[in-house]
Amino acid sequence: MPFDFNEFLTLAEELALRNDEASKRSSISRAYYTVYHLAFPKAETTVGPYRRRRDATRLQRHRDLSTHAWCWQQYIDTNDVDCTQVGVNGDRMKKRRHTADYQSQDYANLDAEVQRQIEDARQFQADIAALGGLLPRPQ
């Protein structure tokens, strides 16, 4: 049976309750991966499989994007305002995850960032479900 990535959000909520910084940073990361794993397969289904391209068949801004950047760009590059917002929100959550995973300096307002990431992940679940099966679609 395939793994249910929504379980990452449950884990994120559990980690958020701990008092150590590593757990809180991990909570931010797990919440992000919940939304990424909801969004990426949907984008591949409606847009087509992710492929790193090094040719001129795609627009320059889509060449050599990471899977994460590619995913969010598919949502942003639509004519549907709700779909675009899903992409913007996903990319914002990715930036929080990057800070939590890779920045070693003191993390200002860590508790607030953890709660914001979890709340955004919960809202994301509803927002992506509301898009239906046809989005994202390229312009």
Side-chain angles (χ1 to χ4, degrees):
M1 177 174 4
F3 179 69
D4 179 3
F5 286 99
N6 290 300
E7 290 183 31
F8 276 163
L9 187 53
T10 302
L11 178 59
E13 293 166 336
E14 292 170 12
L15 290 169
L17 298 175
R18 296 184 186 176
N19 290 323
D20 62 291
E21 185 173 350
S23 293
K24 292 181 185 300
R25 285 175 177 253
S26 294
S27 173
I28 290 171
S29 185
R30 293 303 90 195
Y32 168 73
Y33 278 106
T34 298
V35 303
Y36 171 74
H37 285 291
L38 290 173
F40 185 78
K42 183 174 176 55
E44 284 197 309
T45 298
T46 60
V47 175
Y50 166 81
R51 284 185 277 244
R52 186 176 300 272
R53 296 181 183 222
R54 297 187 185 277
D55 58 34
T57 61
R58 300 272 295 192
L59 297 173
Q60 178 67 29
R61 65 186 163 147
H62 290 291
R63 288 177 41 194
D64 299 325
L65 293 176
S66 72
T67 57
H68 295 260
W70 177 88
C71 176
W72 303 124
Q73 201 62 52
Q74 303 317 300
Y75 289 86
I76 291 168
D77 286 351
T78 65
N79 290 323
D80 183 90
V81 67
D82 294 327
C83 190
T84 298
Q85 193 60 52
V86 163
V88 169
N89 293 344
D91 191 56
R92 183 181 62 246
M93 292 179 70
K94 177 182 68 123
K95 289 173 184 166
R96 276 192 212 121
R97 194 260 325 159
H98 191 272
T99 298
D101 284 351
Y102 298 111
Q103 304 299 317
S104 64
Q105 76 272 3
D106 286 341
Y107 205 125
N109 303 313
L110 180 58
D111 287 328
E113 287 294 297
V114 168
Q115 288 311 308
R116 192 171 298 119
Q117 188 83 332
I118 289 172
E119 289 168 11
D120 285 353
R122 287 183 193 135
Q123 184 61 51
F124 188 97
Q125 289 172 316
D127 292 346
I128 199 163
L131 289 180
L134 299 178
L135 293 170
R137 279 276 189 232
Q139 293 181 17

